[in-house]
Amino acid sequence: MSPALEIQLIAVLVAVACALPGCFLVLRRMSMMSDAITHTLLLGIVLAFLATHSLTSPFLIVGAASVGLLTVWMAEALQHSRRVSEDSAIGLTFPLLFSIAIVLITRYADSVHLDADAVLLGELAFAPFDRMIVGGADIGPRAAWSMGCVLLLNLAALSLFFKELKLTTFDPVLAALMGFAPVWLHYGLMAAVSITAVAAFQAVGSILVVAFMIGPPASAYLLTDDLRRMVVLSALIGGLNAVAGYWMAAWLDVSIAGSIAVMTGLSFLGVFILSPSRGLLSVVRRRARQRMEYRERIVLIHLHHHEGSGTEAQESGIDSIHRHLGWPRPLAEAVLRRLEERGRIRIEGGVAKPADADRPEGGE
Amino acid sequence: MSALSLFHDYTFQVVALGAALLGMTSGLIGSFAVLRRESLLGDVVSHAALPGIAAVFLMTGTKDTVWLLVGALCSGLAATGFILGVVRYSRIRFDTALALGMSVFFGLGLVLLTYVQKIPNSNQAGLQRFIFGQAAILLKGDILVIAVTGAVLLALTLLFWKELKLLSFDPEFARSLGLPTRALNVLLSAMTVAAIIAGLQTVGVILMSAMLVAPAVAARQWTNRLGVMVGLASLFGAVSGVAGTLASSAAAKLPAGPAIVVAADVIVLVSLAFGRARESRGRRGRAADRVSRA
């Protein structure tokens, strides 16, 4: 495989592996937890490195995943003290663990190649240089293998616990009543997020893992109401972002991970504006239509109210009604015209009257 | 060098003064962010500043702090606008919009930075310092930026005190009174962005968010009055700024940014342990908590 293909393969693997747990983060309103975890896994990596003095040992993953869980636990403990709100709890926890990591790096690991930049920013272009050698044979880039394993792990966990995850996500109280253990599923999900983030950070950097985890599910969330479809769509959108991002990076000769994040943003923006049921355009159109329907109703109520009264000519006159409604004149005229076109009112001698068919049944 | 003689050291004076001013400003603004449950906006805005910094450098080639900060301010505001717009016009919730805005803007910043790097003769050294912050190389000009920003923010807070207070505790009531809540929201967000951007180069992107949250959370434990909380938060911010720089100067290889954050978190711990103000949330709040915890 050429390096270009290998990079795209890794990018797609990262994107799909991240999108799976990401769906549940978005639905459970825990998106910012991914940000916290991706920052604090630096501490896990530092601690494991100080213990083993190796940057490739599996303890790195164990260490980082444990610190990920520690982050979640600390934030929740703070929150459950009821003296700190959820967002503040997250905002207190991860900078502290991150600071400890930076201090440890500066003091004890300065001489080796373990700097915060590398962890936070990552570089996909270097991924093909790190080969997986088994028995002397080169079987591909290491990142592809590790991401592939994580993807399989996530897929297995998702298909095994799909029903449970769905229930605890949408109705945690019912899930608890039915004897499921939301807490274990919660920490299981957080472990999946941590492990995925650890595997992905070397390729794309820990900050952009957040884009991979949250971006595609956010887009998919605007396209469907079905959880299964949302998971599949997120994986698909993530994969497309990865390939499109790679080609943009190749064309402009810039950071690949950054360019995939930009693609993630652009694809979200497209969905946000154009989504048929939940896009900006349809929301704006729907709100405008509701506003118009409301105005028509107000006019009809007004006409019914004053019909046959002594002041009807004033109150319902097409030249004066806008003053009584407190509307600008063109608006009142437009609403009257719309109502007349549909036969809901008739205009007699400059006075608007509700059409007979529009009279409420069994009226006054 | 003993702690006492440190106070006569010029570099230390400059850095400590900058950190103290920054702590005061972020305590002031952070109080509102914490009360409005927007603590994480700090983290987001400080990441989102990157494309602005890179774009200004790309277009003008300047490394003048003030212009880079203007760029950071613009992209920080753009990200905030993006987040508020997404929440307003779709069913995407605040946390998701925050995470998305942060990572996409940061990615764009990375793209621009790598683009800058390949332009011949462009020496982008110094841009990195915005990402991770280096209090040790604070200059007098930087202090001036922090001081001016802090003064303007303080003046704005005092000017709109009543409105901001109402907005933080009961936005619905504020709207029913006819206050321009949307304009006030934008004002408060802009103030938050300005406070963050001013502190970026002292403590860096990631740690700036802690400076916004920690002093305010600590202050909240001691009082139920907004005025006292803002005052205490500023005090705690200033104290952690000075304590962090002091520790960083006294011990070798101890970067100032993390030291300031750890100092602030120590204050939080003490406040959580001994603070007397109880959140009087009533039974409804506690019952809701139990349900959401289940």
Side-chain angles (χ1 to χ4, degrees), chain A:
Chain A
M1 240 194 291
S2 72
L5 260 180
E6 279 181 356
I7 291 173
Q8 288 178 71
L9 173 72
I10 296 169
V12 170
L13 286 172
V14 172
V16 178
C18 286
L20 298 181
C23 284
F24 294 94
L25 289 178
V26 167
L27 289 171
R28 289 166 171 243
R29 310 180 182 214
M30 299 185 66
S31 305
M32 284 308 277
M33 207 51 116
S34 69
D35 177 45
I37 289 178
T38 50
H39 281 110
T40 55
L41 58 83
L42 180 64
L43 178 61
I45 292 166
V46 175
L47 289 175
F49 174 78
L50 291 178
T52 63
H53 284 276
S54 148
L55 275 174
T56 50
S57 98
F59 285 107
L60 247 56
I61 294 189
V62 177
S66 335
V67 173
L69 290 180
L70 176 72
T71 313
V72 177
W73 179 79
M74 273 175 73
E76 285 179 355
L78 269 178
Q79 194 191 337
H80 287 168
S81 74
R82 289 212 204 91
R83 308 182 65 170
V84 180
S85 65
E86 183 185 4
D87 58 315
S88 300
I90 298 178
L92 280 175
T93 307
F94 80 86
L96 175 65
L97 297 180
F98 186 81
S99 299
I100 297 175
I102 297 276
V103 171
L104 287 178
I105 291 179
T106 324
R107 289 188 77 89
Y108 303 110
D110 219 7
S111 48
V112 296
H113 181 73
L114 174 67
D115 59 313
D117 303 31
V119 173
L120 292 171
L121 307 181
E123 184 49 75
L124 206 48
F126 299 149
F129 296 127
D130 190 8
R131 312 300 297 186
M132 188 84 164
I133 312 279
V134 175
D138 181 349
I139 55 166
R142 185 191 298 276
W145 283 98
S146 59
M147 277 326 294
C149 289
V150 169
L151 175 58
L152 285 180
L153 206 70
N154 283 348
L155 274 175
L158 187 65
S159 39
L160 269 178
F161 296 110
F162 187 78
K163 187 177 56 189
E164 288 81 356
L165 275 170
K166 188 174 181 177
L167 186 59
T168 51
T169 299
F170 291 107
D171 199 339
V173 179
L174 179 66
L177 282 175
M178 289 170 74
F180 289 106
V183 175
W184 284 106
L185 273 172
H186 173 65
Y187 276 94
L189 176 63
M190 289 301 137
V193 170
S194 307
I195 291 171
T196 313
V198 180
F201 87 85
Q202 273 173 323
V204 300
S206 67
I207 296 171
L208 295 180
V209 170
V210 177
F212 282 79
M213 281 195 177
I214 304 304
S219 304
Y221 187 53
L222 290 181
L223 289 172
T224 177
D225 284 332
D226 181 276
L227 178 62
R228 211 176 286 266
R229 218 171 282 161
M230 176 173 163
V231 171
V232 174
L233 264 179
S234 318
L236 207 68
I237 295 173
L240 286 177
N241 286 338
V243 175
Y246 171 80
W247 286 105
M248 187 172 92
W251 175 49
L252 294 172
D253 189 17
V254 291
S255 152
I256 299 171
S259 148
I260 297 177
V262 172
M263 273 301 160
T264 307
L266 290 179
S267 63
F268 174 79
L269 213 58
V271 172
F272 170 66
I273 294 175
L274 298 174
S275 162
S277 58
R278 311 195 175 275
L280 181 66
L281 287 182
S282 69
V283 167
V284 168
R285 210 175 299 144
R286 190 163 53 231
R287 286 186 189 172
R289 201 184 55 226
Q290 283 167 346
R291 214 173 295 141
M292 196 40 117
E293 278 169 9
Y294 179 70
R295 286 184 188 130
E296 289 175 2
R297 209 159 300 165
I298 291 284
V299 168
L300 283 176
I301 291 171
H302 184 82
L303 296 188
H304 275 294
H305 184 70
H306 292 288
E307 193 186 11
S309 73
T311 53
E312 187 183 4
Q314 252 302 312
E315 290 280 356
S316 305
I318 53 169
D319 291 323
S320 52
I321 188 170
H322 65 275
R323 274 198 296 277
H324 298 278
L325 292 166
W327 289 354
R329 186 167 177 162
L331 177 65
E333 279 169 359
V335 176
L336 284 175
R337 211 176 310 123
R338 281 173 63 96
L339 283 168
E340 196 191 3
E341 273 165 20
R342 279 180 296 135
R344 301 199 65 177
I345 59 169
R346 58 201 152 79
I347 293 174
E348 287 171 7
V351 177
K353 289 178 183 298
D356 292 330
D358 207 49
R359 210 160 295 284
E361 278 177 43
E364 308 113 295

Side-chain angles (χ1 to χ4, degrees), chain B residues 169-194:
Chain B
F169 289 102
D170 202 340
E172 298 301 319
F173 183 50
R175 190 168 16 215
S176 76
L177 286 182
L179 284 181
T181 45
R182 207 187 310 173
L184 284 169
N185 263 325
V186 172
L187 173 73
L188 201 51
S189 299
M191 286 165 71
T192 315
V193 174

Side-chain angles (χ1 to χ4, degrees), chain B residues 20 26 31 36 66 70 80 98 104-105 135 138 148 161 178 209 224 235:
Chain B
S26 46
S31 298
R36 286 159 47 85
V66 176
V70 169
T80 316
L98 279 177
V104 168
F105 270 74
L138 268 187
V148 170
W161 178 258
S209 56
N224 288 325
L235 178 70

